[in-house]
Amino acid sequence: MKNAERAANIALAGLTLAPLVVKVDTNLNVVLTACLTVFVGCYRSVKPTPPSETMSNEHAMRFPLVGSAMLLSLFLLFKFLSKDLVNAVLTGYFFILGIIALSATLLPAIDRFLPNKWNDDVIIWRLPYFRSLDVTFEFTRSQVVAAIPGTFFCAWYAAQKHWLANNILGLAFCIQGIEMLSLGSFKTGAILLAGLFVYDIFWVFFTPVMVSVAKSFDAPIKLLFPSRIAARPFSMLGLGDIVIPGIFVALALRFDVSRGRESHYFKSAFLGYTVGLVLTIVVMNWFQAAQPALLYIVPGVIGFLAAHCLWNGEVKPLLEFDESKTAAITSGEETISSKKVE
């Protein structure tokens, strides 16, 4: 598993830098970058301890509504306020988020070269002058070291807004999102994907809001791929089209791991994502118009996984899988083990 993740990391880094030195087909770049990002994020999400907090069905149902409210708010901000002012505020916001995401992404590659004490000892820092609020931050020395290159990189992004800086920050957000977010169960995942399927279709096909915000929003919420077309120098792919299906595919991988099977249903879910993304590119080029990627990706991911599950006659184990219960059991076992040691 580690070898596959390491190879995918190297391939993703090479593909991200490749347009600087050679001409890379835009469509191929979109598909490979998105698929490699999902692959890396999925494997990083596999950890000894299951996530303690997972999304509930209610949260999954509300998510498209919250997303719609945020999208419409951004559209109105760009419509009635100065675009430069809005983007300046957003740049400061993403500067902080970028440091956190980049340092967390780089940490596994850095901490192996640092003393174990730096990785284990947690430093608790309280916000000065506002002690009544009791705001505390917990971090390790290794995280501070990892944040140093992240800070310089985010400063470069804020100053230049280069497409490469945008993409590296966007990839860090995607990897961290897939690694840290948990749907909890396939039922919750299906509810979330179904809601966002409708959300994406509505805001792209029936209103100009989604496309307008994507073009106006000068922040790493999308990946930019250099194009050979002068009239359209970059092709775009929203981070949501990577993260949202990615957390579902990651759940399939963790389901396989929990059963002691190597990439059983993960392969079908990942293949469904790839097919859906390729179909998005084909339709977009055929009609020469922006497409809601989730329109093709969601049926691909759910359809391929469901077909594989039905073929194997394992619908019940898949629907009964719940990471929150697994986390509770693991926590209980750790407590019993610690009592025995005492």
Side-chain angles (χ1 to χ4, degrees), residues 119-156:
N119 301 327
D120 300 332
D121 291 351
V122 177
I123 300 171
I124 300 175
W125 182 72
R126 286 180 172 80
L127 190 67
Y129 309 115
F130 297 96
R131 295 189 181 278
S132 58
L133 299 176
D134 194 26
V135 178
T136 60
F137 300 92
E138 296 184 0
F139 52 88
T140 63
R141 291 181 178 87
S142 296
Q143 289 174 322
V144 173
V145 173
I148 294 172
T151 303
F152 282 106
F153 187 88
C154 288
W156 174 50

Side-chain angles (χ1 to χ4, degrees), residues 209-220:
V209 173
M210 179 80 79
V211 176
S212 175
V213 170
K215 291 180 177 179
S216 303
F217 206 145
D218 190 11

Side-chain angles (χ1 to χ4, degrees), residues 1-43:
M1 190 176 285
K2 285 293 181 183
N3 290 335
E5 182 188 338
R6 191 175 295 113
N9 274 312
I10 294 171
L12 182 59
L15 188 62
T16 303
L17 298 172
L20 293 174
V21 291
V22 295
K23 288 184 177 180
V24 182
D25 182 78
T26 306
N27 297 327
L28 183 64
N29 198 356
V30 170
V31 173
L32 290 179
T33 299
C35 290
L36 285 170
T37 304
V38 169
F39 189 89
V40 170
C42 288
Y43 273 89

Side-chain angles (χ1 to χ4, degrees), residues 178-190:
I178 297 172
E179 178 183 354
M180 303 303 296
L181 297 176
S182 172
L183 292 169
S185 68
F186 288 100
K187 293 178 184 177
T188 303

Side-chain angles (χ1 to χ4, degrees), residues 181-340:
L181 297 176
S182 172
L183 292 169
S185 68
F186 288 100
K187 293 178 184 177
T188 303
I191 293 171
L192 178 66
L193 289 183
L196 291 175
F197 172 82
V198 176
Y199 159 91
D200 216 21
I201 293 172
F202 174 78
W203 289 112
V204 173
F205 281 156
F206 296 99
T207 74
V209 173
M210 179 80 79
V211 176
S212 175
V213 170
K215 291 180 177 179
S216 303
F217 206 145
D218 190 11
I221 61 162
K222 57 187 180 292
L223 300 182
L224 301 173
F225 301 92
S227 171
R228 300 175 185 176
I229 304 172
R232 193 183 63 190
F234 293 99
S235 290
M236 297 184 297
L237 181 67
L239 301 192
D241 299 327
I242 300 175
V243 176
I244 299 300
I247 56 179
F248 189 87
V249 178
L251 182 66
L253 178 60
R254 294 195 298 274
F255 174 65
D256 292 338
V257 172
S258 71
R259 306 172 77 208
R261 300 188 181 187
E262 186 68 23
S263 301
H264 187 62
Y265 288 110
F266 166 70
K267 289 180 180 177
S268 18
F270 185 75
L271 180 61
Y273 177 78
T274 305
V275 171
L277 188 59
V278 170
L279 188 57
T280 304
I281 300 297
V282 170
V283 175
M284 182 183 69
N285 284 288
W286 181 271
F287 291 102
Q288 290 295 305
Q291 295 294 315
L294 295 182
L295 169 62
Y296 310 98
I297 293 174
V298 169
V301 172
I302 295 180
F304 273 67
L305 183 65
H308 192 178
C309 184
L310 287 168
W311 180 267
N312 290 337
E314 294 184 327
V315 176
K316 188 176 180 181
L318 187 133
L319 292 179
E320 290 180 346
F321 179 67
D322 191 334
E323 280 195 307
S324 60
K325 294 179 181 178
T326 307
I329 293 171
T330 305
S331 177
E333 289 176 349
E334 288 177 352
T335 303
I336 293 170
S337 177
S338 65
K339 288 182 178 179
K340 287 181 179 179

Side-chain angles (χ1 to χ4, degrees), residues 89 113 174 313 334:
V89 174
F113 302 106
C174 287
E334 288 177 352

